[in-house]
Amino acid sequence: MAVTVETVEQVQALDKYKYGFVTEIETDTAPKGLGEDIVRFISAKKNEPQWLLDWRLKAYRHWLTMPEPEWAKVQFPPIDYQDAYYYSAPKSPDDAPKSLDEVDPKLLETYEKLGIPLREQEKLAGVAVDAVFDSVSVATTFKKNLEEVGVIFCSISEAVQKHPELVRKYMGSVVPYGDNKHSCLNSAVFTDGSFVYIPKGVRCPMELSTYFRINAENTGQFERTLIIADEGSYVSYLEGCTAPMRDEHQLHAAVVELIALDDAEIKYSTVQNWYPGDEDGKGGIYNFVTKRGACRGRNSKISWTQVETGSAITWKYPSCILQGDNSVGEFYSIAITNNRQQADTGTKMIHLGKNTRSRIIAKGISAGRSDSTYRGLVRISAKAEGARNFTQCDSLLIGDRCGAHTVPYIESKNRNAILEHEATTSRISEDQLFYCRQRGIPEEDAVALVVNGFCREVLQQLPMEFAVEAQKLVGISLEGSVG
Amino acid sequence: MLEIKNLHATVDGKAILKGIDLSIQAGEVHAIMGPNGSGKSTLSYILTGREGYELTEGEILFKGKDLREMEPEERAGEGLFLAFQYPVEIPGVPNTTFLKEALNAIRRYRGEDELDAMQFVKMVREKTKLLGINDEMLKRAVNVGFSGGEKKRNEALQMAVLEPAMAILDETDSGLDIDALKTVANSVNLLRKPENAMLVITHYQRLLEYIVPDRVHVLADGRIQRSGGKELALELEEKGYAEFAGAA
């Protein structure tokens, strides 16, 4: 046992020293509950400058005054904020499973179906082994490639220490601390997250995904991500994982801010597969995320692609503020709900600049007794001459006890704007399933095939390696939804 | 290959098939002709196991195996293929993906190795060449935006790829003009082999000019009223189904 602990400590120390991506190991845990003292405690633990502590406190005080958002079509008992830990030391390896033999076989079955390599399975299941050694060498190569072109990719805590000017300038500039109740809480108590800066004219030489995927530690329930693409740069960032992640926190309130300057482009892809709870929805994660990108510069572009299959409740609206002239915002989404899952997701496209364009393709699939809502806003300001939007929302129902809802809001203050909205709702047909089965394809595979076809436009937006896994995930998420 | 004994079936509680006996050997092509509502399509769905079509009496043996308890995909795995009267559209799923998925599902069922992408493409190209089908059809979504003729040719392509022991052609001629009919019939004839059998279900005789059957059966009011050689089809064409109407 002692050897295992030692190994883990060594690896973590190694990470911390060489690569700085892993959160510092803390020895203590803040007591349960939330208060100014906890906010101060977190800030002190992270050795933060005064301005950041002040910002956190401002957020906390404002949070106290804010009501819970109740407009979304989701239902859950009130959250007891005092009944949670906001800062805890990493779990002792003694509590972690010693090997995959001790991990829930159902979870392993899913990993197997997704084709996740054994080493990664151990990592995802939280097995206390030295599997990280493998990824360290991979990570080193990546890190070196990134440094050569001047890309900064580190934890947000590290960025606060090493690049305070960038953090101070941009953090909260897209999602102000008082934006909504969940983002406000995040601003007060965020523990870690990622920071990316792409310098002028640089095309990031790799998807910021593989590195992240292998190396990301559990950054906890209040993650904060900030990505800045300077003039003429490009980055593709991939968050999340197709494999269901083990996590003991119920409430997740992350904030992601993207900033694209002149001629810059950010492509942000998410695959979200947090634990959805059991068949009755018990124990699942509440995923209340605020994601927003600002196209500050001319000809800039921000593209969100998401595949949402997990969580008991998803509350998420990745949005674009199209400030710069000729800027482009895109939102491609697949939201799959099964059993008792609830998803209220969509986007906001705020057109401010001239000739700004946005495109929304949302595919919702509901099965079991789940409920899926698309909620979107397209707003054209008076000055947004020549703005254009195209929206397409398609819902697919499996079975007769689920729900699909589309709530599009459109506000246009400019007569020259062109807005298009298309929506369809369909049911997976017995004809299609029988046709597939007559060709030898078993029923569950047939459902996966038909649903993948339905989602194709969105899946095509994902980086290649993830598109394949996401396709499998679509099938797995819907297992048990027919028959 | 196929033995049907005293087959009774209902749809929504209504008796449609009322005692069918039929025996088809390897290498044979049988035709079932009959007026609308005689139970032709019900027979094809009972054989392939479609939900909502209930076998109430009798038995079906396919290559000596009892089909009654098998799921539709298991029957397909055993080598039973239905060319649909109205092939179904599956938006967003490329034909080639569909074919590969189906072929490998059947191979898995039989305990054979799945084909990888390279092997599969090579095999499919041979089939499209054999049937004179443009490879462009492989990239299109299954039956989406296909003309009537294209849909039926696509059924023939699926049949060529899956190589079933027995194919049931359900009203393959419906909705086709004479040129399209000839093309589809040609494709089907190319797939005729001594070890395979076919059951051609049709309302009109004209399809049988191109796919020449060994035996013709007249189905009316849920029973086979008469069986004979290919000349029976011509006789029917001349006299119509009138003498069988209300036979029960």
Side-chain angles (χ1 to χ4, degrees):
Chain A
M1 193 54 256
V3 179
T4 320
V5 178
E6 205 179 275
T7 310
V8 169
E9 277 171 358
Q10 273 175 3
V11 172
Q12 282 167 336
L14 187 70
D15 264 357
K16 177 180 143 196
Y17 171 69
K18 264 189 171 167
Y19 312 108
F21 195 81
V22 175
T23 334
E24 243 180 85
I25 314 286
E26 299 294 338
T27 48
D28 41 4
T29 298
K32 218 177 206 182
L34 185 55
E36 275 197 19
D37 49 339
I38 298 292
V39 176
R40 286 178 194 281
F41 178 89
I42 293 170
S43 189
K45 276 286 163 202
K46 300 200 158 288
N47 195 24
E48 286 175 352
Q50 187 62 37
W51 64 263
L52 191 50
L53 173 62
D54 292 345
W55 192 71
R56 283 180 182 271
L57 287 171
K58 213 160 41 173
Y60 174 70
R61 287 167 197 148
H62 188 70
W63 177 79
L64 289 173
T65 68
M66 292 181 89
E68 290 281 335
E70 278 168 353
W71 40 265
K73 195 178 165 15
V74 291
Q75 288 179 331
F76 54 93
I79 298 167
D80 182 356
Y81 291 100
Q82 297 305 333
D83 188 34
Y85 291 100
Y86 292 84
Y87 191 87
S88 56
K91 276 182 80 169
S92 154
D94 293 359
D95 298 337
K98 308 295 178 293
S99 75
L100 284 177
D101 297 339
E102 292 178 28
V103 174
D104 181 1
K106 252 193 146 164
L107 197 64
L108 295 181
E109 209 177 289
T110 309
Y111 291 162
E112 202 61 43
K113 283 177 193 157
L114 286 166
I116 311 258
L118 200 64
R119 285 294 178 91
E120 252 180 82
Q121 290 188 19
E122 292 176 330
K123 179 98 173 145
L124 290 164
V127 175
V129 291
D130 55 356
V132 252
F133 278 128
D134 244 15
S135 56
V136 165
S137 56
V138 180
T140 318
T141 325
F142 286 166
K143 191 91 183 170
K144 218 175 129 202
N145 288 346
L146 291 176
E147 271 167 11
E148 272 168 17
V149 291
V151 170
I152 302 170
F153 182 29
C154 62
S155 73
I156 200 125
S157 310
E158 188 187 337
V160 168
Q161 305 300 329
K162 292 190 179 163
H163 310 282
E165 71 296 342
L166 285 172
V167 177
R168 195 169 183 179
K169 183 169 175 191
Y170 290 108
M171 195 166 74
S173 74
V174 188
V175 181
Y177 66 84
D179 188 77
N180 65 71
K181 181 105 183 168
H182 305 309
S183 71
C184 193
L185 179 61
N186 175 291
S187 302
V189 300
F190 72 90
T191 38
D192 222 326
S194 303
F195 176 83
V196 177
Y197 173 77
I198 314 290
K200 278 183 192 171
V202 169
R203 196 181 163 85
C204 188
M206 70 192 70
E207 310 264 354
L208 294 184
S209 62
T210 321
Y211 173 88
F212 183 75
R213 192 168 151 218
I214 298 171
N215 230 32
E217 285 299 304
N218 181 0
T219 39
Q221 54 202 120
F222 302 105
E223 197 174 336
R224 189 145 192 130
T225 299
L226 178 58
I227 299 177
I228 303 142
D230 213 328
E231 291 170 20
S233 68
Y234 169 84
V235 62
S236 167
Y237 185 92
L238 203 140
E239 167 209 51
C241 191
T242 50
M245 298 269 274
R246 219 178 62 130
D247 196 288
E248 58 268 34
H249 300 298
Q250 184 174 43
L251 173 65
H252 281 246
V255 171
V256 175
E257 294 177 282
L258 311 182
I259 295 116
L261 302 180
D262 285 356
D263 304 300
E265 179 176 348
I266 301 174
K267 187 175 162 62
Y268 192 105
S269 314
T270 306
V271 175
Q272 185 267 116
N273 192 17
W274 294 108
Y275 184 54
D278 63 14
E279 279 170 23
D280 298 320
K282 276 196 190 116
I285 282 176
Y286 296 174
N287 191 30
F288 299 155
V289 188
T290 306
K291 290 183 166 175
R292 198 172 300 154
C295 284
R296 295 251 161 97
R298 299 172 137 266
N299 312 316
S300 57
K301 179 176 174 183
I302 287 178
S303 182
W304 299 99
T305 305
Q306 60 172 18
V307 180
E308 302 284 318
T309 66
S311 298
I313 301 175
T314 301
W315 182 100
K316 183 181 171 188
Y317 315 90
S319 304
C320 295
I321 300 166
L322 303 170
Q323 225 170 318
D325 291 348
N326 313 318
S327 60
V328 178
E330 290 177 337
F331 175 74
Y332 296 96
S333 169
I334 297 171
I336 300 179
T337 53
N338 198 355
N339 298 318
R340 291 280 188 167
Q341 281 177 277
Q342 307 174 61
D344 195 300
T345 184
T347 184
K348 287 188 274 186
M349 293 291 175
I350 312 294
H351 291 254
L352 301 174
K354 291 188 182 69
N355 301 314
T356 46
R357 281 165 295 149
S358 62
R359 184 178 169 82
I360 298 168
I361 310 283
K363 305 274 182 178
I365 299 110
S366 323
R369 306 178 72 167
S370 68
D371 231 331
S372 176
T373 302
Y374 167 82
R375 190 180 302 278
L377 167 67
V378 177
R379 179 182 288 155
I380 314 282
S381 74
K383 286 180 181 168
E385 288 293 325
R388 291 197 68 152
N389 163 265
F390 174 78
T391 300
Q392 187 185 328
C393 298
D394 298 320
S395 306
L396 187 69
L397 300 164
I398 301 173
D400 54 11
R401 290 189 299 174
C402 55
H405 319 271
T406 302
V407 191
Y409 299 85
I410 298 171
E411 300 172 13
S412 180
K413 291 185 179 141
N414 188 302
R415 284 165 177 274
N416 297 321
I418 301 174
L419 295 116
E420 292 169 81
H421 182 95
E422 291 178 11
T424 65
T425 302
S426 53
R427 200 176 267 276
I428 197 158
S429 78
E430 198 269 327
D431 279 354
Q432 286 173 327
L433 292 183
F434 179 67
Y435 191 65
C436 294
R437 294 177 76 189
Q438 208 301 306
R439 297 300 182 251
I441 303 169
E443 191 165 27
E444 287 198 336
D445 295 350
V447 171
L449 189 73
V450 172
V451 173
N452 268 306
F454 174 76
C455 301
R456 191 152 183 250
E457 276 175 278
V458 176
L459 288 171
Q460 280 173 333
Q461 299 295 327
L462 286 173
M464 188 63 186
E465 49 177 307
F466 254 74
V468 177
E469 276 186 29
Q471 272 184 31
K472 289 188 200 157
L473 180 61
V474 166
I476 292 168
S477 310
L478 290 168
E479 273 179 6
S481 62
V482 288
Chain B
M1 175 149 322
L2 182 71
E3 294 287 338
I4 300 174
K5 287 177 194 154
N6 190 32
L7 175 67
H8 288 69
T10 59
V11 180
D12 292 333
K14 196 176 162 226
I16 306 290
L17 301 181
K18 303 167 185 171
I20 291 192
D21 293 282
L22 186 64
S23 173
I24 302 177
Q25 310 304 317
E28 293 181 346
V29 172
H30 286 227
I32 292 204
M33 299 184 67
N36 293 328
S38 58
K40 298 192 302 288
S41 285
T42 299
L43 177 61
S44 67
Y45 290 144
I46 281 285
L47 290 175
T48 50
R50 185 163 196 163
E51 213 173 296
Y53 294 78
E54 203 181 338
L55 188 149
T56 48
E57 204 184 326
E59 61 177 22
I60 312 167
L61 291 178
F62 179 58
K63 296 192 298 187
K65 289 186 184 166
D66 189 347
L67 283 187
R68 286 176 299 186
E69 294 304 312
M70 287 189 194
E71 295 292 329
E73 57 268 31
E74 293 170 328
R75 300 179 195 214
E78 293 293 335
L80 196 58
F81 179 94
L82 172 63
F84 285 65
Q85 180 177 5
Y86 304 109
V88 181
E89 297 185 0
I90 311 180
V93 177
N95 235 336
T96 174
T97 305
F98 182 72
L99 281 168
K100 185 161 175 254
E101 187 95 4
L103 179 67
N104 280 334
I106 286 176
R107 292 182 70 96
R108 273 200 303 277
Y109 177 82
R110 293 178 185 162
E112 297 165 1
D113 288 338
E114 295 183 28
L115 294 190
D116 64 29
M118 293 292 281
Q119 292 166 318
F120 176 76
V121 167
K122 189 163 171 273
M123 190 269 241
V124 170
R125 292 257 160 88
E126 279 166 22
K127 303 295 184 185
T128 49
K129 205 172 154 197
L130 173 74
L131 302 181
I133 288 173
N134 192 332
D135 283 344
E136 180 260 347
M137 192 189 256
L138 294 171
K139 293 181 202 149
R140 292 164 64 186
V142 180
N143 295 322
V144 177
F146 283 33
S147 69
E150 283 176 326
K151 282 185 180 171
K152 297 298 166 81
R153 296 185 78 193
N154 199 25
E155 295 290 290
L157 175 62
Q158 292 176 19
M159 190 171 143
V161 169
L162 301 180
E163 300 184 312
M166 171 146 184
I168 304 163
L169 277 57
D170 188 7
E171 307 264 3
T172 293
D173 49 337
S174 73
L176 298 189
D177 60 32
I178 195 69
D179 291 328
L181 178 70
K182 277 189 201 169
T183 315
V184 172
N186 265 335
S187 303
V188 170
N189 284 329
L190 285 167
L191 303 174
R192 269 175 96 153
K193 283 177 191 158
E195 63 272 23
N196 296 342
M198 281 183 200
L199 180 60
V200 182
I201 294 174
T202 181
H203 185 85
Y204 299 106
Q205 184 269 341
R206 62 173 193 170
L207 177 66
L208 303 180
E209 281 176 30
Y210 304 100
I211 304 174
V212 182
D214 300 297
R215 297 284 293 165
V216 175
H217 311 275
V218 181
L219 180 67
D221 195 30
R223 286 195 189 88
I224 288 178
Q225 308 287 352
R226 211 174 134 189
S227 297
K230 60 187 175 208
E231 62 289 344
L232 178 58
L234 292 167
E235 192 187 324
L236 277 173
E237 183 78 357
E238 212 170 290
K239 297 186 185 163
Y241 293 109
E243 66 172 286
F244 300 107

